[in-house]
Amino acid sequence: MKEHVLVAGSGIAGLGAALALSDGARTITLVDRDPPPPSGSAEDAFVSWERRGATQLRHSHVFLGRLTTLIRERYPELLKELLDSGARIFRFADGLPPALKNKYVPVAGDEDLAILFSRRTTLELVMRRYAATLPGVSFIDDAGVRGIVAARDGTAVSIKGLMIERNGTVESMRADVVVDASGRNSPFPDWLRAEGVTVFEEESPAGILYFTRHYRIRDGKDEPPRDRTPIAGDMGYLKFAVFNADNRHFSITLATPEIESSLRVQIVRPATFDRICAEIPGCALWTDPERSEPASPVYAMGNLKSVWRSYLKNGEPQVLDFFAIGDAAVRTNPLYGRGCSAGVVHAHILRAALDATRDPTARAKKVEADTREALRPYYDAMVRQDLESIRRAEHERDASYQPGRRARLTRSFVEDAIGPATRGDLDVMRGFSRAFHMIDDPTEWLKRPQILAKVLAFWAMPKSAKVARGLYPPKAGPERREMLDKLGLAA
């Protein structure tokens, strides 16, 4: 008899579970609180699809090489449908800095360093339509998950199904396996605590608030050329990034430190958002009214933090036949675009465990171990990076701050060694890109002797020589006081 897998949530992680598990060996039912997508185009989905369960739906997204490669290799028909719907592939060679373009020679593995340019609504729309055609996959929309069906199984709690509300009626739906793909606001930890389960959680602040606005390139106009002007950066008091998307769309995200109270209050206003973009050269090229027009209001998102959840105690599972994937289990700062890739990877980790054994305890242990191996390095790296950014934001507000010797060396290593090396050497750029795309460990790439030797050589190179080779980008944007003055805000 086929296993029945009941998935709470049909966002990216839930859809990833539908893809991963749809080999005909199981039946998969996805339950979602929101209505189904509209029957029309990608534009219809962006404008009208109600997704209360996915608060980040209309924020900027970058779909990294880890996800793009997985789709290309395992679901080529899905990739074709995405491209037919207006999504684009941005390859490693397309994003090389000017100093490397003429030196580029493809090597094996470069094809995995490709970004899928798409709005989140377009990706979900196409994934959802594709998943609905797969064997054994079905959707229950406009249905709320109201609780779990649980039974004590020795020292653990076994999850037997979910309580589902439809049309005002709550009913029990049984399943062999229950998957929590309900996202960052998952109610499952509280339900499990009520059953006596200890939920182990690690949290670390992202320290920022997130603001996004979408734009559309005007008919007859082209995207700006990719030159040395940075289209992403961290100015201490403000992070920014331009995100290409599908069908002539792009978005810009501005992220303010939580302590920048006056800036974060004003930035949600469309006129202020556009004014800030106009002061940042890498954004201004895109938002020039002659080139593009706004296609959305400014969306805001807060309560951003990194979270790691585990349901094992002393190495033993406390919950059986239950698995949390995606943001319900692991999430990090969304600014670096790892969430969607991690969610789909997590779904395939689950598939491997379910295929490996029918023993519930062994399955739980395997998912835990494989998740740690695949995702923990990125979690730890993000936590360290966010804590450093929080400290930098505090220093930006202190006019008397003087960095110590270690801080000066660290900053010099980033700005005068790693940065120029990634812009001036293909091997270093590849190493950095493989970590960025979640293919290699986010820190180990820099420890490889060949890479480290090249980075140190760039550090030792006279700054004048690096400037002459164009290995420093132009200034990202105004200093904090200058920006606040331009906006009429007190410094």
Side-chain angles (χ1 to χ4, degrees), residues 159-236:
I159 306 303
K160 303 297 185 180
L162 297 173
M163 302 303 297
I164 308 297
E165 181 178 359
R166 287 188 282 179
N167 301 318
T169 301
V170 178
E171 60 182 307
S172 170
M173 181 173 290
R174 295 289 205 170
D176 300 296
V177 174
V178 171
V179 178
D180 177 13
S182 58
R184 63 202 293 262
N185 297 316
S186 169
F188 282 84
D190 288 338
W191 293 336
L192 291 167
R193 289 186 186 102
E195 297 291 335
V197 173
T198 301
V199 182
F200 293 95
E201 289 184 337
E202 300 174 53
E203 292 188 1
S204 186
I208 61 170
L209 296 122
Y210 202 70
F211 302 90
T212 295
R213 194 174 198 195
H214 290 259
Y215 301 82
R216 184 183 183 278
I217 300 290
R218 295 183 184 276
D219 293 340
K221 299 294 183 178
D222 295 321
E223 294 179 352
R226 290 181 178 269
D227 55 18
R228 294 174 57 245
T229 308
I231 60 171
D234 183 354
M235 299 188 291

Side-chain angles (χ1 to χ4, degrees), residues 314-338:
N314 298 324
E316 295 297 321
Q318 303 176 80
V319 187
L320 301 177
D321 298 319
F322 168 83
F323 304 93
I325 62 173
D327 282 0
V330 180
R331 75 177 194 261
T332 58
N333 188 334
L335 193 62
Y336 299 90
R338 291 172 174 158

Side-chain angles (χ1 to χ4, degrees), residues 139-153:
F139 291 84
I140 301 176
D141 298 301
D142 291 312
V145 179
R146 299 294 178 245
I148 55 178
V149 179
R152 178 60 60 175
D153 186 352

Side-chain angles (χ1 to χ4, degrees), residues 425-446:
D425 187 278
L426 275 166
D427 288 338
V428 178
M429 184 64 175
R430 278 195 185 93
F432 170 82
S433 296
R434 290 183 64 83
F436 173 78
H437 284 282
M438 296 183 69
I439 296 169
D440 290 348
D441 185 283
T443 57
E444 290 299 319
W445 72 277
L446 192 54

Side-chain angles (χ1 to χ4, degrees), residues 72-89:
R72 185 193 74 225
E73 292 183 346
R74 300 196 184 198
Y75 311 103
E77 292 182 1
L78 171 59
L79 181 58
K80 181 180 183 303
E81 291 181 17
L82 284 164
L83 298 178
D84 289 345
S85 296
R88 295 181 289 158
I89 297 292

Side-chain angles (χ1 to χ4, degrees), residues 165-485:
E165 181 178 359
R166 287 188 282 179
N167 301 318
T169 301
V170 178
E171 60 182 307
S172 170
M173 181 173 290
R174 295 289 205 170
D176 300 296
V177 174
V178 171
V179 178
D180 177 13
S182 58
R184 63 202 293 262
N185 297 316
S186 169
F188 282 84
D190 288 338
W191 293 336
L192 291 167
R193 289 186 186 102
E195 297 291 335
V197 173
T198 301
V199 182
F200 293 95
E201 289 184 337
E202 300 174 53
E203 292 188 1
S204 186
I208 61 170
L209 296 122
Y210 202 70
F211 302 90
T212 295
R213 194 174 198 195
H214 290 259
Y215 301 82
R216 184 183 183 278
I217 300 290
R218 295 183 184 276
D219 293 340
K221 299 294 183 178
D222 295 321
E223 294 179 352
R226 290 181 178 269
D227 55 18
R228 294 174 57 245
T229 308
I231 60 171
D234 183 354
M235 299 188 291
Y237 69 96
L238 183 73
K239 295 179 173 69
F240 69 92
V242 178
F243 295 82
N244 294 80
D246 57 283
N247 295 296
R248 304 183 67 80
H249 283 264
F250 68 93
S251 63
I252 291 179
T253 288
L254 304 177
T256 65
E258 292 176 341
I259 60 175
E260 289 287 355
S261 54
S262 60
L263 185 57
R264 77 187 206 194
V265 168
Q266 297 295 327
I267 203 170
V268 74
R269 299 177 179 178
T272 304
F273 189 98
D274 288 349
R275 177 70 189 279
I276 293 172
C277 289
E279 297 296 337
I280 301 172
C283 297
L285 288 170
W286 291 79
T287 60
D288 180 350
E290 293 293 319
R291 186 187 301 275
S292 65
E293 59 186 346
S296 80
V298 178
Y299 301 108
M301 188 164 69
N303 190 30
L304 301 177
K305 55 188 174 182
S306 294
V307 176
W308 186 281
R309 272 192 196 107
S310 172
Y311 295 99
L312 268 65
K313 186 175 184 178
N314 298 324
E316 295 297 321
Q318 303 176 80
V319 187
L320 301 177
D321 298 319
F322 168 83
F323 304 93
I325 62 173
D327 282 0
V330 180
R331 75 177 194 261
T332 58
N333 188 334
L335 193 62
Y336 299 90
R338 291 172 174 158
C340 290
S341 296
V344 178
V345 167
H346 211 174
H348 286 77
I349 288 172
L350 173 61
R351 158 71 187 272
L354 298 187
D355 284 351
T357 177
R358 293 294 294 256
D359 178 73
T361 298
R363 282 176 164 182
K365 289 182 176 180
K366 181 171 175 56
V367 168
E368 175 81 10
D370 291 355
T371 299
R372 285 190 172 273
E373 181 180 358
L375 301 180
R376 187 70 197 203
Y378 303 98
Y379 177 88
D380 290 340
M382 192 75 267
V383 166
R384 291 192 297 269
Q385 193 168 340
D386 282 340
L387 293 176
E388 176 56 35
S389 292
I390 290 170
R391 288 191 291 270
R392 182 181 175 190
E394 292 169 348
H395 297 153
E396 287 284 333
R397 296 169 60 86
D398 182 0
S400 64
Y401 170 72
Q402 294 294 327
R405 183 173 181 273
R406 181 174 180 177
R408 293 196 306 271
L409 280 173
T410 299
R411 184 165 184 172
S412 175
F413 186 62
V414 172
E415 295 181 355
D416 300 317
I418 296 176
T422 56
R423 299 181 197 103
D425 187 278
L426 275 166
D427 288 338
V428 178
M429 184 64 175
R430 278 195 185 93
F432 170 82
S433 296
R434 290 183 64 83
F436 173 78
H437 284 282
M438 296 183 69
I439 296 169
D440 290 348
D441 185 283
T443 57
E444 290 299 319
W445 72 277
L446 192 54
K447 299 175 184 176
R448 296 173 194 153
Q450 179 186 7
I451 297 292
L452 182 58
K454 290 187 174 188
V455 170
L456 292 176
F458 275 89
W459 203 9
M461 185 185 300
K463 188 167 185 176
S464 58
K466 288 181 280 194
V467 170
R469 291 177 57 182
L471 300 181
Y472 288 100
K475 186 177 179 181
E479 301 293 336
R480 177 177 181 271
R481 179 175 292 275
E482 181 184 355
M483 178 69 87
L484 294 182
D485 286 346

